[in-house]
Amino acid sequence: MTRDSLKVDKRPADSDPAAGAHSAQEAFASYAAPLVDHAIEYANAVREDASPEALHKLRVSLRRLRSLWWAFEPLLEKGENTRQRALYKFLATAAGKTRDWDILIELLIHDDNGARSGTSEIAPKLQDARGAALSTSRETLSNADVKHLLREALSSASKELNTAHERMPLRKFARQRVAASERSLNKRMKRARRAKRSNYIAFHNVRKAGKKLRYLLEFFEPVLSSGHKRTLNRLKQIQKRFGTLNDVVASEMLLRDNAALLAGSGDTDAALHWLGKERKRRMRSAAGLLRKL
């Protein structure tokens, strides 16, 4: 299952788009503009490209935008920042509805080969459901006018920051926001270690916090001091272990929610049984990793 890369751009600081900025306010647009361009590009691509990769790239680009707006939250008007982050979440969810079917199909048909879950017979119905979800995703993204919304969000935030009277040194700001994100991750890891094995939400919160921290390190790495190698290695482990758990949990929920749609096309009970066993196995694996970190 292809996931967004964990690699942090190792360009020297003077080649970083924000290298010439002395303040966080000055640097914002150089971080945000490329992300907005990518999101618009991927949104346009989804109109023609029905592949899982096109949808995945769009969803990742929107998640990065949401994390960047979170990073600059202390410098932006709270209400507007909350609205913009909600917008990115809405658009990512629109793309994600189709992506969820791709993951379910990959788990049941490809990873399992239909052998244990007995799902080879429902493959056509799964593909039909995926096609319907893709149509809905495309319609939602088209009606939302992604290009206009993202350009407007970038313009509004940039204007607010550029007219601010106070200035925060970029390096200091980056350290503070990465540190805040690290504290959030550590707090959620502590809760998950204490949680019952059936408490998936606690594990899911660790995954989200880890992803946010990774994005911030990718944004700010050129202006941060060294010493994040251990953190990045830990984040890589979390993403891989907790990501595979999330795939199974989301797929199990999707199959249960659409059981009526797939009725009569195959043994959905067998598929749910297999996914349930996989969920428990991957929960144990995720819990084991938490104990080691």
Side-chain angles (χ1 to χ4, degrees), residues 181-227:
S181 186
E182 282 189 290
R183 288 194 298 272
S184 176
L185 173 60
N186 290 332
K187 181 186 296 185
R188 282 157 178 74
M189 288 176 65
K190 187 176 181 180
R191 288 177 181 171
R193 290 189 188 101
R194 295 175 176 176
K196 294 181 179 179
R197 192 66 56 83
S198 59
N199 185 357
Y200 168 69
I201 296 300
F203 287 74
H204 184 56
N205 287 338
V206 170
R207 176 174 170 268
K208 290 194 297 182
K211 188 167 291 187
K212 181 185 293 181
L213 175 57
R214 177 170 59 83
Y215 289 157
L216 263 62
L217 288 174
E218 290 175 349
F219 295 146
F220 297 132
E221 189 271 344
V223 299
L224 294 170
S225 59
S226 59

mmCIF file of all heavy atoms in Angstrom, residues 181-227:
data_model
loop_
_atom_site.group_PDB
_atom_site.id
_atom_site.type_symbol
_atom_site.label_atom_id
_atom_site.label_comp_id
_atom_site.label_asym_id
_atom_site.label_seq_id
_atom_site.Cartn_x
_atom_site.Cartn_y
_atom_site.Cartn_z
ATOM 1 N N SER A 181 4.232 20.058 18.933
ATOM 2 C CA SER A 181 3.752 18.856 18.260
ATOM 3 C C SER A 181 4.341 17.602 18.908
ATOM 4 O O SER A 181 3.646 16.585 19.047
ATOM 5 C CB SER A 181 4.130 18.916 16.779
ATOM 6 O OG SER A 181 3.564 17.833 16.074
ATOM 7 N N GLU A 182 5.602 17.662 19.316
ATOM 8 C CA GLU A 182 6.233 16.522 19.998
ATOM 9 C C GLU A 182 5.556 16.245 21.334
ATOM 10 O O GLU A 182 5.330 15.087 21.697
ATOM 11 C CB GLU A 182 7.716 16.792 20.206
ATOM 12 C CG GLU A 182 8.559 16.597 18.968
ATOM 13 C CD GLU A 182 10.050 16.659 19.273
ATOM 14 O OE1 GLU A 182 10.527 17.760 19.585
ATOM 15 O OE2 GLU A 182 10.724 15.616 19.200
ATOM 16 N N ARG A 183 5.227 17.307 22.059
ATOM 17 C CA ARG A 183 4.541 17.123 23.347
ATOM 18 C C ARG A 183 3.186 16.458 23.131
ATOM 19 O O ARG A 183 2.773 15.589 23.910
ATOM 20 C CB ARG A 183 4.374 18.469 24.059
ATOM 21 C CG ARG A 183 5.661 19.035 24.625
ATOM 22 C CD ARG A 183 5.377 20.179 25.605
ATOM 23 N NE ARG A 183 4.712 21.304 24.947
ATOM 24 C CZ ARG A 183 5.345 22.306 24.352
ATOM 25 N NH1 ARG A 183 6.667 22.321 24.316
ATOM 26 N NH2 ARG A 183 4.670 23.303 23.803
ATOM 27 N N SER A 184 2.482 16.890 22.103
ATOM 28 C CA SER A 184 1.173 16.306 21.790
ATOM 29 C C SER A 184 1.307 14.820 21.470
ATOM 30 O O SER A 184 0.511 14.001 21.946
ATOM 31 C CB SER A 184 0.550 17.048 20.602
ATOM 32 O OG SER A 184 -0.672 16.461 20.225
ATOM 33 N N LEU A 185 2.304 14.464 20.682
ATOM 34 C CA LEU A 185 2.519 13.061 20.346
ATOM 35 C C LEU A 185 2.845 12.248 21.597
ATOM 36 O O LEU A 185 2.280 11.165 21.813
ATOM 37 C CB LEU A 185 3.651 12.929 19.333
ATOM 38 C CG LEU A 185 4.096 11.487 19.019
ATOM 39 C CD1 LEU A 185 2.943 10.666 18.448
ATOM 40 C CD2 LEU A 185 5.284 11.508 18.049
ATOM 41 N N ASN A 186 3.747 12.745 22.430
ATOM 42 C CA ASN A 186 4.136 12.005 23.632
ATOM 43 C C ASN A 186 2.954 11.810 24.578
ATOM 44 O O ASN A 186 2.812 10.756 25.212
ATOM 45 C CB ASN A 186 5.274 12.734 24.346
ATOM 46 C CG ASN A 186 6.576 12.673 23.565
ATOM 47 O OD1 ASN A 186 6.807 11.728 22.809
ATOM 48 N ND2 ASN A 186 7.430 13.673 23.734
ATOM 49 N N LYS A 187 2.095 12.828 24.682
ATOM 50 C CA LYS A 187 0.917 12.726 25.540
ATOM 51 C C LYS A 187 -0.025 11.637 25.025
ATOM 52 O O LYS A 187 -0.547 10.826 25.797
ATOM 53 C CB LYS A 187 0.181 14.071 25.582
ATOM 54 C CG LYS A 187 -1.057 14.065 26.464
ATOM 55 C CD LYS A 187 -1.825 15.372 26.346
ATOM 56 C CE LYS A 187 -1.020 16.538 26.861
ATOM 57 N NZ LYS A 187 -1.823 17.813 26.844
ATOM 58 N N ARG A 188 -0.221 11.593 23.723
ATOM 59 C CA ARG A 188 -1.116 10.592 23.134
ATOM 60 C C ARG A 188 -0.528 9.183 23.198
ATOM 61 O O ARG A 188 -1.266 8.205 23.352
ATOM 62 C CB ARG A 188 -1.449 10.990 21.696
ATOM 63 C CG ARG A 188 -2.500 12.085 21.645
ATOM 64 C CD ARG A 188 -2.472 12.886 20.368
ATOM 65 N NE ARG A 188 -3.538 13.889 20.365
ATOM 66 C CZ ARG A 188 -3.519 15.010 21.093
ATOM 67 N NH1 ARG A 188 -2.496 15.263 21.895
ATOM 68 N NH2 ARG A 188 -4.530 15.869 21.038
ATOM 69 N N MET A 189 0.784 9.090 23.100
ATOM 70 C CA MET A 189 1.419 7.785 23.248
ATOM 71 C C MET A 189 1.254 7.266 24.681
ATOM 72 O O MET A 189 0.999 6.084 24.897
ATOM 73 C CB MET A 189 2.901 7.882 22.880
ATOM 74 C CG MET A 189 3.147 8.062 21.393
ATOM 75 S SD MET A 189 4.903 8.301 20.978
ATOM 76 C CE MET A 189 5.565 6.705 21.467
ATOM 77 N N LYS A 190 1.364 8.174 25.631
ATOM 78 C CA LYS A 190 1.195 7.795 27.038
ATOM 79 C C LYS A 190 -0.222 7.303 27.291
ATOM 80 O O LYS A 190 -0.431 6.291 27.987
ATOM 81 C CB LYS A 190 1.504 9.003 27.931
ATOM 82 C CG LYS A 190 1.518 8.700 29.420
ATOM 83 C CD LYS A 190 1.938 9.924 30.212
ATOM 84 C CE LYS A 190 1.994 9.634 31.700
ATOM 85 N NZ LYS A 190 2.419 10.842 32.470
ATOM 86 N N ARG A 191 -1.211 7.991 26.729
ATOM 87 C CA ARG A 191 -2.606 7.571 26.894
ATOM 88 C C ARG A 191 -2.852 6.219 26.243
ATOM 89 O O ARG A 191 -3.562 5.372 26.784
ATOM 90 C CB ARG A 191 -3.533 8.624 26.279
ATOM 91 C CG ARG A 191 -3.627 9.916 27.061
ATOM 92 C CD ARG A 191 -4.503 10.913 26.323
ATOM 93 N NE ARG A 191 -4.603 12.182 27.046
ATOM 94 C CZ ARG A 191 -5.159 13.274 26.549
ATOM 95 N NH1 ARG A 191 -5.681 13.249 25.319
ATOM 96 N NH2 ARG A 191 -5.216 14.398 27.250
ATOM 97 N N ALA A 192 -2.272 6.033 25.064
ATOM 98 C CA ALA A 192 -2.487 4.771 24.346
ATOM 99 C C ALA A 192 -1.862 3.593 25.085
ATOM 100 O O ALA A 192 -2.402 2.487 25.063
ATOM 101 C CB ALA A 192 -1.910 4.878 22.935
ATOM 102 N N ARG A 193 -0.731 3.821 25.728
ATOM 103 C CA ARG A 193 -0.088 2.736 26.494
ATOM 104 C C ARG A 193 -0.982 2.285 27.649
ATOM 105 O O ARG A 193 -0.973 1.113 28.020
ATOM 106 C CB ARG A 193 1.263 3.202 27.042
ATOM 107 C CG ARG A 193 2.339 3.400 25.990
ATOM 108 C CD ARG A 193 3.687 3.637 26.634
ATOM 109 N NE ARG A 193 4.701 4.009 25.667
ATOM 110 C CZ ARG A 193 5.119 5.261 25.467
ATOM 111 N NH1 ARG A 193 4.620 6.252 26.200
ATOM 112 N NH2 ARG A 193 6.044 5.510 24.560
ATOM 113 N N ARG A 194 -1.739 3.232 28.210
ATOM 114 C CA ARG A 194 -2.600 2.913 29.344
ATOM 115 C C ARG A 194 -3.983 2.427 28.922
ATOM 116 O O ARG A 194 -4.735 1.885 29.739
ATOM 117 C CB ARG A 194 -2.772 4.160 30.223
ATOM 118 C CG ARG A 194 -1.478 4.633 30.890
ATOM 119 C CD ARG A 194 -1.723 5.932 31.646
ATOM 120 N NE ARG A 194 -0.540 6.369 32.375
ATOM 121 C CZ ARG A 194 -0.462 7.503 33.054
ATOM 122 N NH1 ARG A 194 -1.520 8.323 33.084
ATOM 123 N NH2 ARG A 194 0.641 7.830 33.698
ATOM 124 N N ALA A 195 -4.320 2.634 27.658
ATOM 125 C CA ALA A 195 -5.666 2.311 27.175
ATOM 126 C C ALA A 195 -5.871 0.809 27.046
ATOM 127 O O ALA A 195 -4.917 0.031 26.926
ATOM 128 C CB ALA A 195 -5.909 2.977 25.824
ATOM 129 N N LYS A 196 -7.125 0.407 27.074
ATOM 130 C CA LYS A 196 -7.456 -0.986 26.840
ATOM 131 C C LYS A 196 -7.162 -1.323 25.385
ATOM 132 O O LYS A 196 -7.208 -0.479 24.507
ATOM 133 C CB LYS A 196 -8.930 -1.244 27.147
ATOM 134 C CG LYS A 196 -9.294 -1.077 28.620
ATOM 135 C CD LYS A 196 -10.764 -1.379 28.846
ATOM 136 C CE LYS A 196 -11.127 -1.228 30.331
ATOM 137 N NZ LYS A 196 -12.568 -1.506 30.570
ATOM 138 N N ARG A 197 -6.878 -2.589 25.145
ATOM 139 C CA ARG A 197 -6.509 -3.034 23.815
ATOM 140 C C ARG A 197 -7.605 -2.752 22.787
ATOM 141 O O ARG A 197 -7.323 -2.586 21.601
ATOM 142 C CB ARG A 197 -6.180 -4.532 23.846
ATOM 143 C CG ARG A 197 -5.523 -5.067 22.604
ATOM 144 C CD ARG A 197 -4.135 -4.488 22.409
ATOM 145 N NE ARG A 197 -3.283 -4.725 23.549
ATOM 146 C CZ ARG A 197 -2.604 -5.852 23.761
ATOM 147 N NH1 ARG A 197 -2.734 -6.861 22.929
ATOM 148 N NH2 ARG A 197 -1.822 -5.974 24.808
ATOM 149 N N SER A 198 -8.848 -2.679 23.244
ATOM 150 C CA SER A 198 -9.958 -2.449 22.316
ATOM 151 C C SER A 198 -10.170 -0.965 22.005
ATOM 152 O O SER A 198 -10.996 -0.619 21.168
ATOM 153 C CB SER A 198 -11.253 -3.020 22.902
ATOM 154 O OG SER A 198 -11.544 -2.409 24.155
ATOM 155 N N ASN A 199 -9.422 -0.089 22.683
ATOM 156 C CA ASN A 199 -9.599 1.351 22.509
ATOM 157 C C ASN A 199 -8.826 1.828 21.284
ATOM 158 O O ASN A 199 -7.722 2.369 21.387
ATOM 159 C CB ASN A 199 -9.145 2.091 23.765
ATOM 160 C CG ASN A 199 -9.428 3.587 23.699
ATOM 161 O OD1 ASN A 199 -9.915 4.098 22.692
ATOM 162 N ND2 ASN A 199 -9.127 4.286 24.780
ATOM 163 N N TYR A 200 -9.420 1.662 20.111
ATOM 164 C CA TYR A 200 -8.721 2.027 18.879
ATOM 165 C C TYR A 200 -8.508 3.534 18.774
ATOM 166 O O TYR A 200 -7.491 3.984 18.213
ATOM 167 C CB TYR A 200 -9.510 1.537 17.661
ATOM 168 C CG TYR A 200 -8.992 2.130 16.377
ATOM 169 C CD1 TYR A 200 -7.737 1.760 15.883
ATOM 170 C CD2 TYR A 200 -9.726 3.095 15.686
ATOM 171 C CE1 TYR A 200 -7.235 2.325 14.724
ATOM 172 C CE2 TYR A 200 -9.227 3.665 14.522
ATOM 173 C CZ TYR A 200 -7.986 3.272 14.050
ATOM 174 O OH TYR A 200 -7.480 3.845 12.905
ATOM 175 N N ILE A 201 -9.430 4.339 19.297
ATOM 176 C CA ILE A 201 -9.318 5.795 19.189
ATOM 177 C C ILE A 201 -7.998 6.286 19.760
ATOM 178 O O ILE A 201 -7.358 7.183 19.199
ATOM 179 C CB ILE A 201 -10.493 6.489 19.912
ATOM 180 C CG1 ILE A 201 -11.819 6.123 19.231
ATOM 181 C CG2 ILE A 201 -10.316 8.006 19.892
ATOM 182 C CD1 ILE A 201 -11.902 6.533 17.773
ATOM 183 N N ALA A 202 -7.569 5.705 20.881
ATOM 184 C CA ALA A 202 -6.302 6.111 21.487
ATOM 185 C C ALA A 202 -5.146 5.853 20.536
ATOM 186 O O ALA A 202 -4.216 6.665 20.416
ATOM 187 C CB ALA A 202 -6.088 5.370 22.805
ATOM 188 N N PHE A 203 -5.192 4.732 19.839
ATOM 189 C CA PHE A 203 -4.149 4.393 18.879
ATOM 190 C C PHE A 203 -4.230 5.312 17.656
ATOM 191 O O PHE A 203 -3.202 5.727 17.108
ATOM 192 C CB PHE A 203 -4.283 2.930 18.458
ATOM 193 C CG PHE A 203 -3.859 1.955 19.511
ATOM 194 C CD1 PHE A 203 -4.639 1.702 20.626
ATOM 195 C CD2 PHE A 203 -2.656 1.280 19.398
ATOM 196 C CE1 PHE A 203 -4.246 0.813 21.600
ATOM 197 C CE2 PHE A 203 -2.238 0.379 20.361
ATOM 198 C CZ PHE A 203 -3.037 0.142 21.473
ATOM 199 N N HIS A 204 -5.443 5.598 17.230
ATOM 200 C CA HIS A 204 -5.645 6.465 16.072
ATOM 201 C C HIS A 204 -5.108 7.869 16.343
ATOM 202 O O HIS A 204 -4.529 8.514 15.453
ATOM 203 C CB HIS A 204 -7.143 6.521 15.750
ATOM 204 C CG HIS A 204 -7.462 7.308 14.513
ATOM 205 N ND1 HIS A 204 -6.907 7.029 13.277
ATOM 206 C CD2 HIS A 204 -8.290 8.371 14.311
ATOM 207 C CE1 HIS A 204 -7.378 7.869 12.382
ATOM 208 N NE2 HIS A 204 -8.209 8.700 12.978
ATOM 209 N N ASN A 205 -5.273 8.347 17.567
ATOM 210 C CA ASN A 205 -4.776 9.674 17.926
ATOM 211 C C ASN A 205 -3.254 9.733 17.898
ATOM 212 O O ASN A 205 -2.668 10.776 17.576
ATOM 213 C CB ASN A 205 -5.289 10.071 19.308
ATOM 214 C CG ASN A 205 -6.767 10.427 19.287
ATOM 215 O OD1 ASN A 205 -7.319 10.776 18.250
ATOM 216 N ND2 ASN A 205 -7.429 10.322 20.436
ATOM 217 N N VAL A 206 -2.606 8.623 18.241
ATOM 218 C CA VAL A 206 -1.149 8.559 18.141
ATOM 219 C C VAL A 206 -0.729 8.701 16.684
ATOM 220 O O VAL A 206 0.207 9.445 16.350
ATOM 221 C CB VAL A 206 -0.614 7.224 18.716
ATOM 222 C CG1 VAL A 206 0.875 7.046 18.381
ATOM 223 C CG2 VAL A 206 -0.808 7.180 20.222
ATOM 224 N N ARG A 207 -1.408 7.991 15.816
ATOM 225 C CA ARG A 207 -1.091 8.047 14.383
ATOM 226 C C ARG A 207 -1.239 9.461 13.838
ATOM 227 O O ARG A 207 -0.379 9.954 13.098
ATOM 228 C CB ARG A 207 -2.000 7.081 13.633
ATOM 229 C CG ARG A 207 -1.832 7.108 12.114
ATOM 230 C CD ARG A 207 -2.677 6.011 11.474
ATOM 231 N NE ARG A 207 -2.724 6.164 10.030
ATOM 232 C CZ ARG A 207 -3.664 6.839 9.376
ATOM 233 N NH1 ARG A 207 -4.647 7.417 10.056
ATOM 234 N NH2 ARG A 207 -3.629 6.939 8.068
ATOM 235 N N LYS A 208 -2.329 10.151 14.192
ATOM 236 C CA LYS A 208 -2.554 11.503 13.686
ATOM 237 C C LYS A 208 -1.500 12.470 14.216
ATOM 238 O O LYS A 208 -0.998 13.317 13.466
ATOM 239 C CB LYS A 208 -3.957 11.979 14.074
ATOM 240 C CG LYS A 208 -5.079 11.262 13.346
ATOM 241 C CD LYS A 208 -6.406 11.993 13.491
ATOM 242 C CE LYS A 208 -6.852 12.058 14.933
ATOM 243 N NZ LYS A 208 -8.174 12.725 15.073
ATOM 244 N N ALA A 209 -1.176 12.349 15.493
ATOM 245 C CA ALA A 209 -0.181 13.243 16.084
ATOM 246 C C ALA A 209 1.197 12.993 15.476
ATOM 247 O O ALA A 209 1.969 13.934 15.255
ATOM 248 C CB ALA A 209 -0.140 13.045 17.598
ATOM 249 N N GLY A 210 1.512 11.736 15.202
ATOM 250 C CA GLY A 210 2.791 11.407 14.586
ATOM 251 C C GLY A 210 2.899 11.959 13.179
ATOM 252 O O GLY A 210 3.955 12.458 12.760
ATOM 253 N N LYS A 211 1.808 11.882 12.439
ATOM 254 C CA LYS A 211 1.807 12.393 11.070
ATOM 255 C C LYS A 211 1.980 13.905 11.065
ATOM 256 O O LYS A 211 2.712 14.460 10.237
ATOM 257 C CB LYS A 211 0.502 12.003 10.383
ATOM 258 C CG LYS A 211 0.463 12.317 8.901
ATOM 259 C CD LYS A 211 -0.707 11.629 8.226
ATOM 260 C CE LYS A 211 -0.519 10.132 8.173
ATOM 261 N NZ LYS A 211 -1.546 9.433 7.377
ATOM 262 N N LYS A 212 1.323 14.595 11.987
ATOM 263 C CA LYS A 212 1.444 16.051 12.059
ATOM 264 C C LYS A 212 2.886 16.453 12.371
ATOM 265 O O LYS A 212 3.435 17.367 11.739
ATOM 266 C CB LYS A 212 0.504 16.606 13.127
ATOM 267 C CG LYS A 212 0.555 18.128 13.250
ATOM 268 C CD LYS A 212 -0.307 18.605 14.403
ATOM 269 C CE LYS A 212 -1.774 18.359 14.137
ATOM 270 N NZ LYS A 212 -2.634 18.832 15.253
ATOM 271 N N LEU A 213 3.510 15.769 13.320
ATOM 272 C CA LEU A 213 4.886 16.086 13.674
ATOM 273 C C LEU A 213 5.813 15.854 12.488
ATOM 274 O O LEU A 213 6.725 16.648 12.230
ATOM 275 C CB LEU A 213 5.327 15.244 14.872
ATOM 276 C CG LEU A 213 6.798 15.374 15.279
ATOM 277 C CD1 LEU A 213 7.159 16.825 15.583
ATOM 278 C CD2 LEU A 213 7.090 14.484 16.487
ATOM 279 N N ARG A 214 5.602 14.773 11.763
ATOM 280 C CA ARG A 214 6.443 14.487 10.595
ATOM 281 C C ARG A 214 6.320 15.590 9.559
ATOM 282 O O ARG A 214 7.314 16.043 8.988
ATOM 283 C CB ARG A 214 6.062 13.141 9.980
ATOM 284 C CG ARG A 214 6.854 12.811 8.722
ATOM 285 C CD ARG A 214 6.615 11.385 8.289
ATOM 286 N NE ARG A 214 5.218 11.121 8.025
ATOM 287 C CZ ARG A 214 4.599 11.408 6.882
ATOM 288 N NH1 ARG A 214 5.261 12.001 5.912
ATOM 289 N NH2 ARG A 214 3.333 11.106 6.702
ATOM 290 N N TYR A 215 5.110 16.052 9.306
ATOM 291 C CA TYR A 215 4.931 17.127 8.334
ATOM 292 C C TYR A 215 5.654 18.399 8.786
ATOM 293 O O TYR A 215 6.264 19.093 7.975
ATOM 294 C CB TYR A 215 3.441 17.423 8.141
ATOM 295 C CG TYR A 215 2.676 16.347 7.408
ATOM 296 C CD1 TYR A 215 1.294 16.218 7.559
ATOM 297 C CD2 TYR A 215 3.316 15.443 6.558
ATOM 298 C CE1 TYR A 215 0.578 15.239 6.884
ATOM 299 C CE2 TYR A 215 2.603 14.466 5.886
ATOM 300 C CZ TYR A 215 1.235 14.367 6.059
ATOM 301 O OH TYR A 215 0.521 13.400 5.388
ATOM 302 N N LEU A 216 5.560 18.717 10.076
ATOM 303 C CA LEU A 216 6.232 19.916 10.572
ATOM 304 C C LEU A 216 7.743 19.807 10.424
ATOM 305 O O LEU A 216 8.420 20.787 10.081
ATOM 306 C CB LEU A 216 5.862 20.171 12.037
ATOM 307 C CG LEU A 216 4.731 21.196 12.258
ATOM 308 C CD1 LEU A 216 3.434 20.721 11.616
ATOM 309 C CD2 LEU A 216 4.520 21.444 13.750
ATOM 310 N N LEU A 217 8.292 18.632 10.679
ATOM 311 C CA LEU A 217 9.734 18.442 10.503
ATOM 312 C C LEU A 217 10.118 18.600 9.035
ATOM 313 O O LEU A 217 11.192 19.121 8.717
ATOM 314 C CB LEU A 217 10.153 17.070 11.023
ATOM 315 C CG LEU A 217 10.143 16.904 12.547
ATOM 316 C CD1 LEU A 217 10.426 15.454 12.931
ATOM 317 C CD2 LEU A 217 11.167 17.829 13.206
ATOM 318 N N GLU A 218 9.246 18.150 8.145
ATOM 319 C CA GLU A 218 9.512 18.313 6.714
ATOM 320 C C GLU A 218 9.468 19.791 6.314
ATOM 321 O O GLU A 218 10.287 20.246 5.513
ATOM 322 C CB GLU A 218 8.503 17.511 5.902
ATOM 323 C CG GLU A 218 8.705 16.008 6.010
ATOM 324 C CD GLU A 218 7.617 15.217 5.304
ATOM 325 O OE1 GLU A 218 6.589 15.822 4.915
ATOM 326 O OE2 GLU A 218 7.794 14.002 5.149
ATOM 327 N N PHE A 219 8.529 20.538 6.881
ATOM 328 C CA PHE A 219 8.437 21.964 6.572
ATOM 329 C C PHE A 219 9.681 22.718 7.062
ATOM 330 O O PHE A 219 10.283 23.493 6.329
ATOM 331 C CB PHE A 219 7.210 22.593 7.248
ATOM 332 C CG PHE A 219 5.885 22.076 6.759
ATOM 333 C CD1 PHE A 219 4.814 21.962 7.636
ATOM 334 C CD2 PHE A 219 5.692 21.725 5.438
ATOM 335 C CE1 PHE A 219 3.580 21.500 7.203
ATOM 336 C CE2 PHE A 219 4.462 21.252 4.986
ATOM 337 C CZ PHE A 219 3.409 21.141 5.876
ATOM 338 N N PHE A 220 10.027 22.493 8.323
ATOM 339 C CA PHE A 220 10.985 23.359 9.014
ATOM 340 C C PHE A 220 12.396 22.797 9.118
ATOM 341 O O PHE A 220 13.274 23.473 9.668
ATOM 342 C CB PHE A 220 10.469 23.667 10.423
ATOM 343 C CG PHE A 220 9.171 24.420 10.460
ATOM 344 C CD1 PHE A 220 8.133 24.000 11.281
ATOM 345 C CD2 PHE A 220 8.983 25.549 9.691
ATOM 346 C CE1 PHE A 220 6.928 24.693 11.326
ATOM 347 C CE2 PHE A 220 7.785 26.257 9.719
ATOM 348 C CZ PHE A 220 6.756 25.828 10.541
ATOM 349 N N GLU A 221 12.637 21.599 8.617
ATOM 350 C CA GLU A 221 13.939 20.945 8.793
ATOM 351 C C GLU A 221 15.121 21.831 8.421
ATOM 352 O O GLU A 221 16.114 21.873 9.162
ATOM 353 C CB GLU A 221 13.965 19.634 7.995
ATOM 354 C CG GLU A 221 15.191 18.762 8.274
ATOM 355 C CD GLU A 221 16.351 19.086 7.360
ATOM 356 O OE1 GLU A 221 16.139 19.745 6.331
ATOM 357 O OE2 GLU A 221 17.477 18.696 7.684
ATOM 358 N N PRO A 222 15.089 22.589 7.310
ATOM 359 C CA PRO A 222 16.254 23.398 6.960
ATOM 360 C C PRO A 222 16.608 24.479 7.987
ATOM 361 O O PRO A 222 17.754 24.921 8.024
ATOM 362 C CB PRO A 222 15.852 24.037 5.615
ATOM 363 C CG PRO A 222 14.854 23.088 5.046
ATOM 364 C CD PRO A 222 14.074 22.610 6.244
ATOM 365 N N VAL A 223 15.650 24.929 8.795
ATOM 366 C CA VAL A 223 15.953 25.984 9.766
ATOM 367 C C VAL A 223 16.069 25.444 11.187
ATOM 368 O O VAL A 223 16.291 26.210 12.123
ATOM 369 C CB VAL A 223 14.880 27.100 9.728
ATOM 370 C CG1 VAL A 223 14.830 27.737 8.358
ATOM 371 C CG2 VAL A 223 13.519 26.573 10.142
ATOM 372 N N LEU A 224 15.920 24.133 11.346
ATOM 373 C CA LEU A 224 16.062 23.524 12.657
ATOM 374 C C LEU A 224 17.484 23.018 12.849
ATOM 375 O O LEU A 224 18.171 22.682 11.883
ATOM 376 C CB LEU A 224 15.095 22.350 12.824
ATOM 377 C CG LEU A 224 13.603 22.677 12.845
ATOM 378 C CD1 LEU A 224 12.799 21.386 12.776
ATOM 379 C CD2 LEU A 224 13.238 23.466 14.102
ATOM 380 N N SER A 225 17.905 22.950 14.095
ATOM 381 C CA SER A 225 19.197 22.339 14.376
ATOM 382 C C SER A 225 19.080 20.842 14.160
ATOM 383 O O SER A 225 17.984 20.287 14.112
ATOM 384 C CB SER A 225 19.616 22.635 15.825
ATOM 385 O OG SER A 225 18.641 22.141 16.722
ATOM 386 N N SER A 226 20.197 20.171 14.026
ATOM 387 C CA SER A 226 20.179 18.726 13.803
ATOM 388 C C SER A 226 19.724 18.013 15.071
ATOM 389 O O SER A 226 19.557 18.623 16.126
ATOM 390 C CB SER A 226 21.572 18.246 13.407
ATOM 391 O OG SER A 226 22.515 18.566 14.429
ATOM 392 N N GLY A 227 19.545 16.715 14.975
ATOM 393 C CA GLY A 227 19.164 15.952 16.156
ATOM 394 C C GLY A 227 17.776 15.363 16.075
ATOM 395 O O GLY A 227 17.244 14.908 17.090
#
